[in-house]
Amino acid sequence: MTAPSSSQSALRIRKAAVLGAGVMGAQIAAHLTNANVETVLFDLPAKEGPKSGIALKAIENLKKLSPAPLADSTRAAAIIPANYDDDLEHLKDVDLVIEAIAERMDWKLDLYKKIAPYVSKTAVLASNTSGLSINGLADALPEELRHRFTGVHFFNPPRYMQLVELIPTKLTDKKVLEGLEAFLTTTVGKGVVYAKDTPNFIGNRIGVFSMLATMYHTEQFKLGFDTVDALTGPAVGRPKSATYRTADVVGLDTMAHVIKTMADTLANDPWHEYFKAPAWLSGLIEQGALGQKTGAGFYKKAGKDIVVLDVAKRDYRPSEQKASDEVAAILAIKDPAEKFGKLRGSSDPQAQFLWATFRDLFHYTAYHLADIADTARDVDFAIRWGYGWKLGPFETWQAAGWQQVAGWIAEDIAAGKAMSKAPLPAWVTDGRTGVHGKNGSYSAAANADKPRSQHPVYQRQLFPDPILGEKFDQGSTVWENDGIRLWTLGDDGVGIISFKTKMNTVNDQVLDGIQHAIGIAEEKLKAVVIWQNSEPFSAGADLKGALGLLQAGKIDDFKAMVANFQRTSMRIKHSLVPVVAAVRGLALGGGCEFQMHSARTVAALESYIGLVEAGVGLLPAGGGLHELAVRAAQVNPTDPFEYLKKVFETVAMAKVSASALEAKQLGLLRDSDVVVFNAYELLYVAKQVALSLAESGWRAPLYNRNIPVAGDVGTATFKASLANLQAGYFASEHDVAIATRIADALCGGAIERGSLVDEEWLLDLERKHFVELAQTEKTQARIAHTMTTGKPLRN
């Protein structure tokens, strides 16, 4: 593998400072801290109490937010609180300064004057402004700082939203930009898009216009806010929060501010007359109904129900949120060209509404492409990564048939149906079939197709996020069955095992396939990586198959399946070549157990790992409890119980980590396991780790015959704590029965504390408890309930 490490081109950022401890500033500081960057969080000096009280309060608040900005809550203590009066000296040894104060040009310029004398000669200074002119801000800086200044716009919430817009000034040094791009991509795990210095850049310029067009057409077609949300969410490949729920989450005052910014700064935009808050939006703001933060906006909670604002009645009514039958049927059509044709041709107001919103979005995006972005790819990625759409506007248009849709838009403009009379740019109708093709993506400014960036950092993404129509080398198949595929990518000698099942669940074909593939790897390859083409890593065992065996009374077959599961985990652990698990997304139950038995796990930050069997009335029996008992003995041979205390709670409560970093805290990942921040770099890093293990003479651990266990004393101690839970009605009788068996398996059974057992003993114990639990009526009811509802049953 010849791909260079991104560190060859990344900025070496040891320490960062964030100026402004508001919503965005504090969360950017949190995410830099997630990435092990020492971070100072500045704000104004507090009028009373400790001088850095504002920053201190913001850091404390990070622990309460949901979704959590910190990937592991203990990291809050690593953020350094500071204020502008006493602590500017900190800036002298900082490599990156990100300004994230309120969107006021005068305030930002005052702050730059204040900090300029303290910023080191090599530090990069960036503004997280969401729409102010970056060149305008740069003009206020001393000459020697200007070439190290740029816009760097994170989207909210910064830990989870992939998009970061990089907005250079006329003078920003190319090396600074390349270094920052590599740092943001690999260290912070983001998708970087270059934007031109125009108001609201790319993401918010197009995303907010789309919301404005949706609001305008909501009025035109007299639709309810809940109906619009039913039409503009997952039904068209967008997030569940759709349009009006998104506005409530963002804050209606924030939404109005962004709209005002567009009105103030885009006076010559042909759509300018629409850059105003609708009367009902202004009305809500005047009443203090600002959305989620005030408990009411377009929606509010009434008891357990969600009610929606009815503009005509000036009151809330129950939310019905569904599309008409005709439109639901149209949206279910797989072929985009047919779907758009039917939407445009239908007389249903909901269909006309959808066509109108897409038409005006396509029209606006094409009209402004040359001004706001280098290529159509940048626009589509900005909207996908910043707004969570499955396809960007240009991809959607191209998929629906470029010329056909262009003709329809032109007809609607001529007929006065479109929001603006502005003509479509000439390039739209030059006979092209779209803006994305084998030569790259179209640049209106250069009138040419441009390939993806050649920046070395992207060579680490073996399967980057594809733009419409992009295909990547799928490697060469070495062997496959119905459950898995063993394949190679390049000639580095690393085999890759990928599952073929839905949600990458584990069935007999997967189990047999893994064992066979490892056998082939031992003969022909240097190492193996278990990696899936898409999330999740694995949702665990195939419950449907397991329940079927139980209900048919095939207990011997059921026992054989459990034994085969354990055999597979042990095959992974004792393989003659290193097996590395490359985890992203969910790794539950058996998926978690496979990574526990691998030589090393490389996990994307957003990995949600857990032994969740207790939730369906079972216990982990793919070797998971056996492995935890072995680790407990390795950590503390004289008193394994100390380690078991932490993991018992993790397993008995079916805890799932909220990140890969938290999985280390829970004992589900080892300290030696690697956490990767950019999920698209996961396979590259996992292959590097696998190769380095192979090259360093890695050998599987010896089969352990002398494992000291916590024994019956350990189990009794756990049972005492369970009795308290049951007495307080926090656990049902069956919960306690399951947890008692988990304790027994972890502690090595009914034997004396300190007794020595072998691995087979622990595996047998785990298997015995699993099979016995599976035959109970209550456990079978839990499995069936989870399969039909997707929710756990407490019985």
Side-chain angles (χ1 to χ4, degrees), residues 208-218 353 357 360-361 419:
V208 174
F209 174 80
S210 174
M211 289 182 84
L212 281 169
T214 303
M215 288 177 173
Y216 171 73
H217 289 301
T218 301
F353 160 82
T357 56
D360 291 322
L361 169 66
M419 286 168 74

Side-chain angles (χ1 to χ4, degrees), residues 580-603:
V580 170
V583 173
R584 57 181 164 166
L586 295 172
L588 304 178
C592 176
E593 288 171 302
F594 287 163
Q595 68 81 22
M596 287 173 74
H597 287 84
S598 62
R600 195 79 87 249
T601 295
V602 178

Side-chain angles (χ1 to χ4, degrees), residues 183-384:
F183 169 76
L184 289 166
T185 303
T186 290
T187 307
V188 192
K190 296 299 161 198
V192 173
V193 164
Y194 280 83
K196 296 186 181 181
D197 187 15
T198 55
N200 287 7
F201 313 129
I202 304 172
N204 284 339
R205 179 77 177 268
I206 302 300
V208 174
F209 174 80
S210 174
M211 289 182 84
L212 281 169
T214 303
M215 288 177 173
Y216 171 73
H217 289 301
T218 301
E219 285 189 297
Q220 296 300 301
F221 292 98
K222 300 181 171 51
L223 299 179
F225 301 130
D226 49 345
T227 303
V228 170
D229 277 355
L231 297 172
T232 58
V236 290
R238 297 182 193 168
K240 275 207 302 251
S241 56
T243 302
Y244 292 103
R245 275 183 200 278
T246 298
D248 273 354
V249 171
V250 168
L252 304 192
D253 50 344
T254 306
M255 183 83 199
H257 173 76
V258 174
I259 295 169
K260 186 177 183 308
T261 302
M262 288 179 81
D264 292 349
T265 54
L266 295 167
N268 298 324
D269 191 303
W271 282 261
H272 184 265
E273 65 183 284
Y274 303 102
F275 299 164
K276 58 178 189 286
W280 29 262
L281 178 59
S282 306
L284 283 168
I285 293 168
E286 278 164 28
Q287 290 165 32
L290 305 180
Q292 200 166 278
K293 58 189 170 191
T294 59
F298 292 110
Y299 295 91
K300 72 174 182 181
K301 247 185 155 173
K304 285 190 175 174
D305 299 321
I306 301 286
V307 291
V308 64
L309 181 67
D310 186 317
V311 175
K313 294 179 181 163
R314 299 193 170 192
D315 199 1
Y316 289 86
R317 60 167 171 78
S319 171
E320 287 153 9
Q321 200 159 353
K322 68 191 263 303
S324 71
D325 293 345
E326 182 185 337
V327 170
I330 294 173
L331 292 176
I333 295 169
K334 289 276 185 283
D335 174 26
E338 186 188 346
K339 186 186 310 191
F340 271 87
K342 288 242 165 81
L343 284 176
R344 186 169 190 261
S346 167
S347 57
D348 185 311
Q350 294 184 16
Q352 292 176 341
F353 160 82
L354 274 175
W355 161 249
T357 56
F358 274 108
R359 173 199 65 215
D360 291 322
L361 169 66
F362 296 158
H363 185 189
Y364 190 82
T365 309
Y367 185 89
H368 285 296
L369 173 59
D371 323 329
I372 65 171
D374 187 35
T375 69
R377 185 193 309 108
D378 297 326
V379 172
D380 281 342
F381 278 152
I383 292 297
R384 272 167 46 176

